[in-house]
Amino acid sequence: MEIVAQACDIKNPDLIKVKYKHHITDFKAIAVFLMRNLCNYSYKEICKEIGNLTLSRVAILSNTGFKLLSTEAKYKDLFSKLLEETRVT
């Protein structure tokens, strides 16, 4: 979460659990996408982990996260950076 938060210029990764913070939507979307694909979380597990999200909202965030990672220049290297960081630890 910290690496994704840094890439999205979010100072506090715990903001992911706060409702109505629209400036962290990209952060939520990428985090949900990575939780879904790297950690094999189900939509239901993601809802429980983040809180205050419906299954449909998690699905939308996951799709948005994929689009951001594949099209936005500032997020293109995030996936490889994350994999490198996990390989080091």
Side-chain angles (χ1 to χ4, degrees), residues 60-71:
I60 291 168
L61 285 170
S62 182
N63 291 336
T64 304
F66 172 75
K67 289 176 187 171
L68 286 170
L69 285 171
S70 60
T71 60

Side-chain angles (χ1 to χ4, degrees), residues 3-18:
I3 295 170
V4 178
Q6 286 175 350
C8 297
D9 297 324
I10 304 295
K11 304 281 188 243
N12 185 0
D14 290 333
L15 283 176
I16 197 168
K17 297 182 181 213
V18 178

Side-chain angles (χ1 to χ4, degrees), residues 11 14-15 21 24 26 31 50 59 63 68-69 77 83-84:
K11 304 281 188 243
D14 290 333
L15 283 176
K21 295 286 185 189
I24 64 167
D26 288 356
I50 295 177
N63 291 336
L68 286 170
L69 285 171
D77 66 333
L83 289 176
E84 180 181 314

Side-chain angles (χ1 to χ4, degrees), residues 7 30 67-79:
I30 293 169
K67 289 176 187 171
L68 286 170
L69 285 171
S70 60
T71 60
E72 291 290 321
K74 75 180 202 176
Y75 301 127
K76 284 211 182 237
D77 66 333
L78 177 63
F79 194 71

Side-chain angles (χ1 to χ4, degrees), residues 22-58:
H22 299 287
H23 69 279
I24 64 167
T25 302
D26 288 356
F27 169 50
K28 272 188 182 180
I30 293 169
V32 165
F33 176 76
L34 294 175
M35 288 169 74
R36 180 87 172 126
N37 292 290
L38 293 181
C39 303
N40 292 325
Y41 275 46
S42 67
Y43 287 149
K44 187 175 180 179
E45 291 170 330
I46 294 170
C47 290
K48 286 180 183 177
E49 185 69 31
I50 295 177
N52 293 317
L53 290 177
T54 61
L55 292 173
S56 61
R57 183 64 182 155
V58 170

